[in-house]
């Protein structure tokens, strides 16, 4: 089981910071009528939004970070890493196809759906078997994470359909969860490998040396 290189740790940590920081700063730049609980992150990138470049840039940089994390996440199964990278690329396409001020942008909806689906589903293909597998990449944990992600996505979709007034909050909770999980996987992988390496060294130190 190989560890995650330092640049993968940096990218996985930068992703949630940049995403949450991006939508926080962008929301503060909007007029007082903007409601982050009711209004979605997509509205921060739509034509007519104040300083829309802030959220667009945040989405693009976060997408790059997630791609780098997917490349670096060597303890995960290749299929899961590929889905993570695909979801990140779809998220970058969301920034390239912003929501329309009036009406629905089909490309925006399609890319947003693919991005959310990929970032939610990648743990399903990332788990591995074996005693050396980090806890975050064990089958039961990955399935539990997907269940939570699906519940959060269902909440977001329900808010969009019903117009209950919390679509912005639901989207931000989904986005934060999807951004934080790769970081949790990276940290658990490196901590587990470091712990096993220390145990192996201790075992070697305790091995008696028999005289020839």
């Amino acid at each position: 089981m190989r560890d995650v290189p330092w640049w993968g740790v940096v990218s996985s940590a930068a992703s949630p910071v940049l995403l949450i920081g991006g939508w926080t700063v962008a929301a503060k730049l909007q007029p007082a009528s903007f409601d982050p609980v009711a209004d979605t992150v997509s509205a921060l990138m739509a034509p007519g939004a104040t300083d829309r470049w802030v959220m667009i840039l945040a989405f693009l940089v976060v997408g790059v970070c997630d791609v780098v994390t997917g490349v670096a996440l060597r303890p995960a199964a290749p299929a899961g890493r590929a889905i993570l990278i695909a979801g990140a690329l779809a998220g970058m396409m969301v920034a390239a196809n912003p929501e329309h001020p009036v009406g629905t942008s089909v490309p925006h909806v399609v890319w947003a759906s693919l991005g959310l689906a990929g970032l939610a589903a990648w743990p399903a293909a990332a788990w591995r078997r074996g005693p050396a597998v980090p806890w975050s990449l064990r089958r039961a944990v990955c399935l539990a994470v997907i269940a939570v992600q699906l519940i959060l996505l269902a909440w977001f979709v329900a808010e969009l359909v019903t117009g209950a007034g919390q679509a912005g909050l639901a989207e931000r909770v989904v986005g934060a969860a999807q951004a934080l999980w790769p970081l949790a996987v990276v940290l658990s992988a490196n901590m587990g490998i470091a712990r096993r390496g220390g145990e192996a060294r201790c075992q070697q130190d305790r091995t008696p040396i028999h005289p020839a």
Side-chain angles (χ1 to χ4, degrees):
M1 186 65 65
R2 296 177 294 176
D3 63 349
V4 179
W6 67 267
W7 42 272
V9 178
V10 172
S11 65
S12 64
S15 179
V17 172
L18 292 171
L19 181 63
I20 297 172
W23 71 46
T24 301
V25 172
K28 288 185 178 298
L29 294 172
Q30 304 310 307
S33 59
F34 181 84
D35 183 2
V37 174
D39 297 326
T40 65
V41 174
S42 296
L44 298 171
M45 295 185 287
T50 304
D51 292 320
R52 58 192 288 260
W53 65 268
V54 174
M55 200 66 245
I56 292 175
L57 180 62
F59 255 65
L60 292 174
V61 177
V62 167
V64 171
C65 288
D66 287 342
V67 169
V68 173
T69 300
V71 173
L73 197 53
R74 297 178 297 189
R81 297 164 64 189
I83 295 173
L84 173 59
I85 292 172
L89 294 175
M92 296 172 71
M93 292 301 296
V94 171
N97 296 272
E99 189 180 58
H100 292 165
V102 179
T104 301
S105 170
V106 174
H108 179 83
V109 172
V110 170
W111 288 116
S113 300
L114 291 174
L116 289 171
L119 293 175
W122 75 271
W127 64 275
R128 289 182 181 272
R129 291 188 176 94
V133 174
W135 65 267
S136 61
L137 291 174
R138 294 172 185 167
R139 185 173 183 268
V141 174
C142 288
L143 292 179
V145 169
I146 291 173
V148 172
Q149 296 274 16
L150 290 177
I151 291 171
L152 295 178
L153 280 174
W155 175 32
F156 176 47
V157 172
E159 290 289 337
L160 291 176
V161 172
T162 63
Q166 292 187 326
L169 175 61
E171 184 183 29
R172 285 161 175 79
V173 172
V174 171
Q178 292 186 344
L180 287 169
W181 183 244
L183 173 60
V185 175
V186 167
L187 294 179
S188 72
N190 278 6
M191 290 173 63
I193 291 171
R195 184 178 64 252
R196 287 189 295 274
E199 291 173 352
R201 287 192 295 271
C202 289
Q203 183 64 33
Q204 290 175 352
D205 292 340
R206 290 196 298 268
T207 301
I209 301 176
H210 300 283

